[in-house]
């Protein structure tokens, strides 16, 4: 018996390692971006029935696990307020150092509002560089202005 979505994430990760599957291959099966598909497999998004069945077949999941993939998750995957994993900490550091700059420039360009994380896309790619390859991350979210009422 599966008691929560995190257990399904662990089943997926275990099968991914066992089978040597890359996230891009999972995305190809699902038919969506590797970024969204990875987030969904890690328990941060909800698969529809067809998508869940494809993931279930790929990772040899039970019907119960496939049902869990279709349940709206509790979002937010960091185990601590300040991440301790070095890669995640660098993102925390980026927001700590540049967060006010990002906020200021978005407000200057768009006005008072936020960048949506719901109407959102992300692309992560390798950028070759002779001094060492770079991580190229593009975040794109719809601007949502605050309303007056």
């Amino acid at each position: 018996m599966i008691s929560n979505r995190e257990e399904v994430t662990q089943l997926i990760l275990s099968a991914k390692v066992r089978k040597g599957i890359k996230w891009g291959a999972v995305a190809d099966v699902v038919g969506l971006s590797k970024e969204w598909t990875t987030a969904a497999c890690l328990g941060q998004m909800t698969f529809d029935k067809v998508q869940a069945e494809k993931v279930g077949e790929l990772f040899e999941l039970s019907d119960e696990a496939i049902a869990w993939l279709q349940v709206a998750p509790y979002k937010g995957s960091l185990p601590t307020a300040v991440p301790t994993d070095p890669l995640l900490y660098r993102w925390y550091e980026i927001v700590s150092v540049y967060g006010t700059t990002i906020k200021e420039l978005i407000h200057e360009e768009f006005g008072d509002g936020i960048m949506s994380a719901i109407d959102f896309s992300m692309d992560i790619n390798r950028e070759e560089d002779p001094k060492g390859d770079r991580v190229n991350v593009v975040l794109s979210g719809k601007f949502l202005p605050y309303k007056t009422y």
Side-chain angles (χ1 to χ4, degrees):
M1 182 168 108
I2 297 172
S3 59
N4 60 54
R5 179 59 180 82
E6 292 78 28
E7 290 179 34
V8 180
T9 297
Q10 292 308 310
L11 292 171
I12 288 171
L13 290 172
S14 178
K16 180 183 179 295
V17 170
R18 185 178 73 251
K19 293 174 156 236
I21 299 171
K22 298 240 182 220
W23 290 120
V26 179
D28 289 343
V29 168
V30 174
L32 295 169
S33 74
K34 72 180 180 299
E35 294 81 7
W36 189 93
T37 302
T38 303
C41 286
L42 296 177
Q44 297 303 304
M45 301 293 171
T46 308
F47 285 113
D48 67 23
K49 184 175 180 18
V50 172
Q51 295 161 345
E53 288 170 349
K54 288 177 181 180
V55 169
E57 184 177 335
L58 182 64
F59 291 117
E60 301 172 0
L61 300 175
S62 68
D63 290 343
E64 182 182 16
I66 291 168
W68 274 101
L69 293 175
Q70 299 169 70
V71 174
Y74 183 88
K75 296 183 190 290
S77 60
L78 298 179
T80 59
V82 177
T84 56
D85 178 278
L87 191 142
L88 294 176
Y89 180 79
R90 290 300 170 248
W91 279 95
Y92 176 82
E93 181 180 41
I94 289 167
V95 172
S96 295
V97 173
Y98 292 102
T100 54
T101 300
I102 294 166
K103 177 180 170 43
E104 183 68 22
L105 293 173
I106 288 172
H107 287 288
E108 183 175 274
E109 180 70 25
F110 294 93
D112 190 13
I114 63 168
M115 183 179 93
S116 177
I118 295 170
D119 190 342
F120 176 85
S121 65
M122 172 177 43
D123 293 302
I124 301 173
N125 294 293
R126 177 184 295 259
E127 184 179 302
E128 292 186 13
D129 187 299
K131 295 183 245 172
D133 288 357
R134 303 181 67 80
V135 179
N136 185 318
V137 180
V138 177
L139 308 175
S140 177
K142 179 180 180 182
F143 179 74
L144 302 171
Y146 285 102
K147 296 180 354 183
T148 56
Y149 53 95

